[in-house]
Amino acid sequence: MSENADISAVGELLGEANRVVILTGAGISAESGIPTFRGEDGLWRKYRAEELATPSAFHQDPKLVWEWYDWRRGIIAPVEPNPGHKVLARWEEIFPEFALITQNIDGLHQKSGLKNILELHGNIWKMRCTEEGTVTENLDSPLKEIPPLCPSCKALLRPHVVWYGESLSSTILQRAFLLSSQCEVMFVIGTSAVVQPAASLPLSATETGAKVVEINLNPTPLTPYVDISLMGKSGEILPLIDKNMKRKS
Ligand code: OAD
């Protein structure tokens, strides 16, 4: 099928659907200027994310890990949602049951106005006390102190994100699997689909009969299992789908 036929097939799917779930990864924010994890511009100094986003890296050198997060926060702070984010925010208003599950920690879906968001991997603008577990929002960029300390007990604060080797919140994960298994249409956008358990969510959607649409620059391990694969930039493809969507209401 040609790309145009695929776009109108997706437009038709959405014309009928009530329960729509979206799973996003770093690719959706790439056109806003945020480097993806596995892209070539994802490196900081000589480190890969897998070396710094770990409990042991933080234990060994909290200052280094916070410097990396401060750098990432500095990149994200001035960034605006792109047309892809904006289409998804609009869809939240249109579909009777709409949910967005994201692996991103950048907060750009919130910035685009979307409300119903399940953040699988946390949020870079939140910090958690390593002693008390209290979660607070902190929008400072650059940070006023590195590493930041808890204002009430002076213990180290850590980014409120999920690191390699850590478990995701079971409440959030259960909800994500439930939504995926109950939706009619699922979009998988801008994720390399190699990090579990997020990469299994679309499979639970296909198993229960949902149509799965993937939008990515490149094929992923998920591509053979999806119903429609659209290769290209999500910031261009999502507005095209939106334009071709045939909804009665
Ligand atoms: P990756 O960096 O692994 O993958 C980004 C994906 O987006 C790739 O498949 C690209 O081809 C695609 N892509 C890039 N630009 C795009 C664009 N403009 N439009 C559409 N697709 C585009 O990022 P994730 O899959 O999100 O986890 O990574 C998953 C998790 O791995 C992250 O949440 C993070 C990381 O380790 C944790 O930190 C726990």
Side-chain angles (χ1 to χ4, degrees):
M1 224 195 276
S2 74
E3 188 89 325
N4 280 349
D6 278 341
I7 298 272
S8 45
V10 177
E12 261 168 48
L13 270 181
L14 291 178
E16 305 289 320
N18 291 318
R19 297 187 303 281
V20 176
V21 168
I22 314 284
L23 172 66
T24 61
I28 189 139
S29 297
E31 287 156 83
S32 292
I34 303 179
T36 60
F37 285 90
R38 289 165 186 84
E40 282 177 5
D41 50 358
L43 288 181
W44 174 71
R45 298 187 193 165
K46 60 187 186 320
Y47 299 98
R48 291 153 47 86
E50 291 90 331
E51 295 172 82
L52 293 170
T54 70
S56 64
F58 188 69
H59 182 71
Q60 260 180 341
D61 197 343
K63 186 164 173 283
L64 175 74
V65 171
W66 266 117
E67 279 169 357
W68 178 57
Y69 276 99
D70 195 38
W71 170 74
R72 292 179 64 194
R73 286 161 61 105
I75 292 174
I76 297 167
V79 154
E80 292 299 329
N82 64 56
H85 293 109
K86 288 179 190 162
V87 165
L88 298 178
R90 199 178 95 74
W91 286 0
E92 183 175 48
E93 306 296 320
I94 292 178
F95 294 100
E97 290 178 51
F98 179 92
L100 184 130
I101 305 166
T102 189
Q103 298 166 85
N104 298 347
I105 59 174
D106 57 32
L108 278 189
H109 287 301
Q110 285 90 335
K111 212 170 178 181
S112 73
L114 216 142
K115 291 172 204 78
N116 190 11
I117 305 169
L118 277 183
E119 291 182 313
L120 294 176
H121 295 162
N123 188 303
I124 201 166
W125 299 109
K126 292 182 181 164
M127 298 179 177
R128 189 164 82 237
C129 175
T130 52
E131 285 297 323
E132 299 169 331
T134 340
V135 176
T136 45
E137 191 178 65
N138 177 316
L139 303 176
D140 296 344
S141 181
L143 286 164
K144 294 200 174 80
E145 56 173 351
I146 293 184
L149 302 178
C150 174
S152 74
C153 75
K154 304 294 173 220
L156 265 179
L157 291 172
R158 59 162 281 175
H160 184 52
V161 298
V162 177
W163 283 332
Y164 294 98
E166 293 185 322
S167 303
L168 278 66
S169 147
S170 58
T171 319
I172 293 178
L173 198 57
Q174 275 171 21
R175 178 102 186 109
F177 272 102
L178 185 71
L179 288 164
S180 304
S181 65
Q182 291 180 341
C183 68
E184 294 162 273
V185 181
M186 183 171 199
F187 281 79
V188 185
I189 307 171
T191 174
S192 54
V194 293
V195 174
Q196 295 293 353
S200 293
L201 292 167
L203 299 177
S204 106
T206 48
E207 273 165 19
T208 46
K211 296 287 182 203
V212 177
V213 180
E214 182 179 52
I215 304 177
N216 201 303
L217 291 182
N218 305 302
T220 73
L222 197 68
T223 310
Y225 303 97
V226 303
D227 296 279
I228 300 178
S229 159
L230 299 168
M231 299 279 170
K233 295 182 173 177
S234 49
E236 294 170 3
I237 291 179
L238 282 166
L240 260 182
I241 296 173
D242 190 49
K243 220 171 107 191
N244 280 273
M245 198 159 76
K246 297 173 184 71
R247 275 195 88 76
K248 293 187 183 69
S249 54

